[in-house]
Every structure is written in C-alpha cells, then in structure tokens.
Amino acid sequence: MDKKAATGLVEKYIAMWNETDQGLRRALVAEVFTPEGTYTDPVTDAAGHAAVDAYLASAQGNFRGMSFTFGTVLAHHDAVHFTWRVGPPGRPPVASGSDVAWVAPDGRIGRLYGFFDGF
C-alpha cells in the first residue's frame, strides 16, 4: 500500500471515530473494515462491523466533546502504522497511542491492533 492510499484510509478511520451520527458511523465502518474485520486494543476485541460500531459508540460516550486526530502514517506491503490522539479541540490530548492495521486486497482493514501510550 502506498503512502497516499494509506493516509486516505487513516483519514476515513479517524472520521469513523469522530462520527456521532449512528447511521453515518456505521457506513464509515463498512467503508473502513472488511465484513469480518477485527479491531483489538487493550480493552476490547471486536469482530465484524456491528461489534466495531458498538465499541466506537461506547468510546464516544467516554470522550464526549473530544476529537480524534492522527499523526505520522507509515506503510509498506499490506501494513499501515499511525499515531493518534484524542482530546478537547485546541487543548492537550487526554489519550494517545498508535495502531497497526493489515489491509485486505480490497483496500479495507482486515485486522487492526491498537496500542495506548502508557497502558
């Protein structure tokens, strides 16, 4: 995967985390993850669109009024690595970390592992 395609995928992924409208968020989940795609971080292991969406909705409840952003995107072969932050707009982040995604041939995420800084 080239850097431009990887950055575009990460932009959609972060938009998915920031989307609070349930219907729009579910559509983004379907654009970003394969139907059997998995999302794993220290507190969850979600498989499939419905489970990923449910985790996003739960996380958004914990980060009300905050926004996710991303930093450096690295990519080679079918892997993408990027940093992320979440916090109130214009203020220091309350959490940060990095994710590693394996991209399926169709350009969507098949598997993603999230890491929290300091966890």
Side-chain angles (χ1 to χ4, degrees), residues 13 39-43 84 97-102 112-116:
Y13 174 83
Y39 172 93
T40 305
D41 70 20
V43 298
W84 56 266
S98 60
D99 290 359
V100 178
W102 288 266
L112 183 139
Y113 282 81
F115 298 86
F116 305 155

Side-chain angles (χ1 to χ4, degrees), residues 45-116:
D45 190 10
H49 291 170
V52 171
D53 181 61
Y55 181 64
L56 293 171
S58 173
Q60 287 175 347
N62 295 329
F63 296 114
R64 226 178 267 318
M66 298 185 197
S67 298
F68 284 83
T69 59
F70 69 94
T72 304
V73 176
L74 304 172
H76 66 79
H77 296 85
D78 63 345
V80 177
H81 173 273
F82 59 95
T83 59
W84 56 266
R85 298 165 301 288
V86 61
R91 303 194 48 207
V94 298
S96 61
S98 60
D99 290 359
V100 178
W102 288 266
V103 181
D106 70 0
R108 293 184 289 174
I109 295 170
R111 183 174 48 150
L112 183 139
Y113 282 81
F115 298 86
F116 305 155

